[in-house]
């Protein structure tokens, strides 16, 4: 097995197609036991394509992929039909009864391929990689192919080929049917390889999934937008004591214990507390005011005590008390026995905190005036930061943050969107970006296989959020 590069080197830049290569249309028919990575066609058609059994062909459906060509059975001949292994068919994004275009592939030996595990589960081990390599040997692959491989003792896992050396074009999903999707034709040069063959010597690498994935997403200061000055103050107040307690000791000043963040809902209070904890490597505790009163009825005070104890044990810590007004309303007004006891407990815990800045409490409220003034006395929540509804520049920053990982079409004008969204807080702007992405997603929904439970990479590649999507999201 060596390189089997075929075809001429003539580079026809215009069509990116080798003019000498015969192309033929085939209708996709059902096939049984076609063989891994294979496609069956009439041997006469094979000859017309300039192929022999075992050669590699390119199959262009809604996506292009490669397959090993094998002769079809006698009864299936003479019909210009093609039978594909289910994985091949999936990768060609073609359905039964549809037409695909076929030509002989320009193939090269794969020196290296990089795979991205799609289904979750345990990280890929070296032994898995060896198994996957053995499975792939003899198969032609292209960038963007999806492969299902059963590793021993585990359910089949799905992988996406995200890189090959030499590189094949990144074949993405095209829309022939609706014309709605942007056609992202990767211009292949005349002598470029279209597919690579995995050989025993091919190095197979797994790309770790993005580290910031799901719940463990690392949040940092770069995730907070539109709060230049406020953020600076927050960092001074909280980061310094959490990170460098000795500084306060030396200066003989009392580090802040409690900081009150107030402002309308969705302005980033929770986000800030979380980021401060993450960035200072502090343990993060969250107490929800209404919840501790209602859900832990009768146990509210002991709950509070245990959080404070735990925070001291795991210092440095940040205790975030959301909707602190529920927990510590003006005593005079509420007059309730329960609230009175709880405020008393909270104050006692804060007063008793001997942490020298290693435990900070961040309270959040939409209505600072509803708070029991006792909790704002020195040594308690004695610092305050107001978070306002972001201005135009702030909105622009926040939009940038929430769209930075998204594939935005060239026409998306974030500045314009910031102009169109006065009164939007961070949470609204985040929702806007999410909604625009959903609208873009709905355009490609016909291509999403719900059975598989995830969105194929090639669909994502074609998923571009346009200005019209944002405008539609604004209208909703
Ligand atoms: P609050 O606690 O003030 O009600 P959150 O922090 O819960 O608001 O905000 C909800 C979400 O809105 C955040 O997780 C974040 O995605 C987004 N968000 C809010 N404010 C900002 C901001 N200033 N910058 C970036 N994103 C923000």
């Amino acid at each position: 097995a060596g390189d089997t590069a075929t075809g001429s080197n003539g580079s026809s830049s215009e069509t990116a197609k080798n003019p000498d290569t015969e192309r033929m249309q085939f209708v996709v028919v059902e096939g049984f036991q076609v063989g891994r990575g294979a496609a069956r066609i009439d041997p006469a058609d094979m000859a017309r394509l300039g192929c022999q059994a075992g050669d590699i062909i390119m199959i262009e459906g809604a996506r292009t992929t490669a397959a090993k060509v094998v002769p079809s059975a006698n009864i299936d001949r003479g019909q210009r039909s093609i039978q594909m292994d289910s994985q091949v068919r999936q990768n060609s994004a073609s359905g039964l009864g549809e037409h695909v275009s076929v030509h002989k592939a320009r193939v090269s030996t794969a020196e290296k391929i990089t795979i991205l595990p799609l289904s979750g589960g345990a990280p890929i081990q070296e032994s898995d990689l060896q198994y996957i390599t053995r499975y792939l040997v003899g198969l032609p692959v292209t960038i963007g192919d999806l492969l299902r491989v059963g590793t021993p003792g585990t359910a089949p896992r799905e992988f996406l080929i995200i890189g090959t050396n030499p590189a094949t074009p990144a074949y993405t999903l095209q829309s022939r049917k609706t014309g709605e999707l942007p056609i992202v034709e990767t211009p292949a040069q005349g002598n470029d390889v279209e597919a690579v063959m995995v050989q025993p010597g091919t190095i197979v690498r797994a790309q770790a999934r993005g580290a910031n994935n799901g719940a463990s997403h690392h949040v940092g200061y770069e995730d907070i937008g539109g709060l230049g000055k406020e953020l600076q103050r927050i960092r001074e107040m909280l980061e310094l004591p959490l990170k460098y307690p000795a500084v306060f000791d030396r200066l003989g000043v009392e580090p802040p214990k409690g900081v009150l963040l107030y402002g309308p809902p969705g302005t980033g209070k929770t986000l800030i507390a979380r980021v401060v904890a993450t960035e200072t490597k502090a343990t993060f505790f969250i107490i929800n005011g209404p919840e501790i009163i209602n859900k832990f009825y009768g146990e509210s005070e002991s709950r509070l005590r245990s959080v404070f104890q735990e925070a001291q044990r795991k210092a440095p810590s940040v205790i975030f008390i959301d909707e602190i007004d529920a927990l510590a309303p003006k005593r005079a007004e509420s007059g309730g026995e329960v609230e009175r006891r709880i405020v008393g407990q909270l104050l006692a815990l804060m007063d008793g905190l001997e942490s020298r800045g290693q435990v900070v409490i961040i309270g959040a409220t939409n209505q600072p005036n509803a708070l029991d003034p006792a909790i704002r006395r020195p040594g308690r929540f004695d610092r305050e930061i107001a978070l306002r509804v972001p201005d135009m520049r702030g909105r622009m920053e926040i939009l940038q943050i929430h769209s930075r990982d998204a594939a935005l079409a060239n026409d998306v004008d974030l500045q314009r969107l910031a102009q169109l969204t006065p009164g939007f807080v961070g949470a609204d702007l985040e929702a806007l970006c999410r909604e625009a992405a959903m609208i873009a997603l709905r355009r490609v929904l016909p291509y999403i296989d719900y059975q598989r439970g995830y969105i194929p990479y090639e669909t994502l590649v074609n998923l571009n959020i346009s200005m019209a999507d944002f405008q539609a999201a604004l209208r909703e």
Side-chain angles (χ1 to χ4, degrees), residues 219 221-227 261-274 320 322 364-366 387-388 390 394 397-399 401-402 425-431 434:
V219 285
Y221 288 114
E222 69 280 3
D223 294 306
I224 306 175
L227 292 173
L261 303 179
Y262 65 89
T267 44
K269 301 182 287 297
T270 312
L271 177 68
I272 290 166
R274 211 178 272 284
F320 179 66
D322 201 8
T365 179
N366 314 328
L387 301 174
R388 272 176 293 273
E397 273 181 45
I398 297 170
L399 283 167
I401 289 169
H402 289 288
V425 295
D428 299 329
L429 294 166
E430 188 206 1
R434 203 174 336 112

Side-chain angles (χ1 to χ4, degrees), residues 152-447:
T154 58
R157 298 176 70 164
E158 288 186 309
F159 303 96
L160 188 76
I161 308 283
I162 56 169
T164 64
N165 187 5
T168 75
Y171 295 108
T172 56
L173 197 69
Q174 321 280 316
S175 173
R176 294 172 310 165
K177 295 162 203 130
T178 63
E180 272 179 346
L181 288 173
I183 305 291
V184 194
E185 183 111 47
T186 317
Q189 298 304 305
N191 54 357
D192 268 355
V193 297
E194 294 173 296
V196 291
M197 240 353 217
V198 182
Q199 306 286 355
T202 302
I203 299 163
V204 179
R205 290 247 168 76
Q207 164 108 3
R209 301 212 68 176
N212 47 4
N213 197 350
S216 61
H217 174 66
H218 168 91
V219 285
Y221 288 114
E222 69 280 3
D223 294 306
I224 306 175
L227 292 173
K229 267 201 300 277
E230 289 90 341
L231 198 60
Q232 196 52 45
R233 283 191 62 211
I234 291 163
R235 293 184 68 162
E236 280 165 20
M237 270 182 220
L238 299 171
E239 200 169 328
L240 220 51
L242 284 166
K243 267 182 152 163
Y244 312 105
V247 172
F248 284 81
D249 282 343
R250 270 192 77 106
L251 295 175
V253 286
E254 196 62 32
K257 267 183 196 167
V259 174
L260 200 61
L261 303 179
Y262 65 89
T267 44
K269 301 182 287 297
T270 312
L271 177 68
I272 290 166
R274 211 178 272 284
V275 167
V276 167
T278 312
E279 294 268 353
T280 56
K281 301 196 167 59
T283 322
F284 188 62
F285 295 88
I286 187 160
I287 295 173
N288 183 280
E291 188 184 270
I292 205 155
I293 299 241
N294 302 314
K295 201 163 138 198
F296 298 100
Y297 190 80
E299 292 167 35
S300 313
E301 293 128 287
S302 64
R303 259 310 276 188
L304 275 180
R305 280 195 300 273
S306 65
V307 171
F308 273 72
Q309 274 164 13
E310 191 74 1
Q312 268 170 297
R313 198 162 35 232
K314 295 196 173 147
S317 299
V318 168
I319 303 177
F320 179 66
I321 308 181
D322 201 8
E323 297 188 56
I324 192 169
D325 44 290
L327 212 143
K330 278 193 175 134
R331 283 198 258 193
E333 275 169 31
S334 88
E337 177 62 25
V338 179
E339 282 86 349
R340 213 188 300 261
R341 280 203 331 255
I342 295 173
V343 183
Q345 178 67 85
L346 177 63
L347 297 180
L349 286 168
M350 286 187 79
D351 293 345
L353 204 60
E354 289 291 349
S355 68
R356 298 222 60 84
Q358 289 282 281
V359 177
V360 297
I361 301 132
I362 303 179
T365 179
N366 314 328
Q367 31 191 1
N369 296 326
L371 283 176
D372 185 338
I375 78 158
R376 296 164 86 171
R377 297 229 174 93
R380 296 169 181 171
F381 290 96
D382 52 6
R383 324 274 161 118
E384 296 182 355
I385 292 171
L387 301 174
R388 272 176 293 273
V389 175
D391 60 9
M392 154 97 187
R393 236 190 84 195
R395 293 196 297 275
M396 171 83 184
E397 273 181 45
I398 297 170
L399 283 167
Q400 272 165 346
I401 289 169
H402 289 288
S403 63
R404 72 181 157 210
D405 294 332
L408 296 184
N410 288 335
D411 70 336
V412 174
D413 182 350
L414 294 181
Q415 179 107 29
R416 178 88 193 105
L417 285 169
Q419 277 167 357
L420 292 170
T421 48
F424 278 47
V425 295
D428 299 329
L429 294 166
E430 188 206 1
L432 176 69
C433 292
R434 203 174 336 112
E435 188 56 34
M438 284 310 296
I439 291 170
L441 187 60
R442 265 177 238 142
R443 278 188 283 122
V444 297
L445 273 191
Y447 302 100

Side-chain angles (χ1 to χ4, degrees), residues 122 128 131 149-157 159:
D128 296 332
Y131 187 85
V149 184
T151 42
T154 58
R157 298 176 70 164
F159 303 96

Side-chain angles (χ1 to χ4, degrees), residues 26-32 34-40 57 59-68 81-100 144-147 173 176-177 449 452 458:
F26 289 84
V27 64
V28 179
V29 298
E30 181 130 47
F32 296 101
V34 176
R36 218 158 44 97
R40 288 181 193 275
I57 52 170
I59 303 174
E60 298 171 35
R63 184 181 168 269
T64 299
T65 195
K68 189 181 284 182
S81 64
I82 184 166
Q83 302 173 343
M84 292 179 241
D85 166 39
S86 65
Q87 203 150 268
V88 172
R89 188 154 69 78
Q90 215 169 46
N91 280 323
S92 69
S94 61
L96 297 178
E98 290 176 2
H99 283 84
V100 291
D145 273 349
L146 189 77
L147 299 167
L173 197 69
R176 294 172 310 165
K177 295 162 203 130
D449 183 347
R452 281 200 254 146
E458 58 265 36

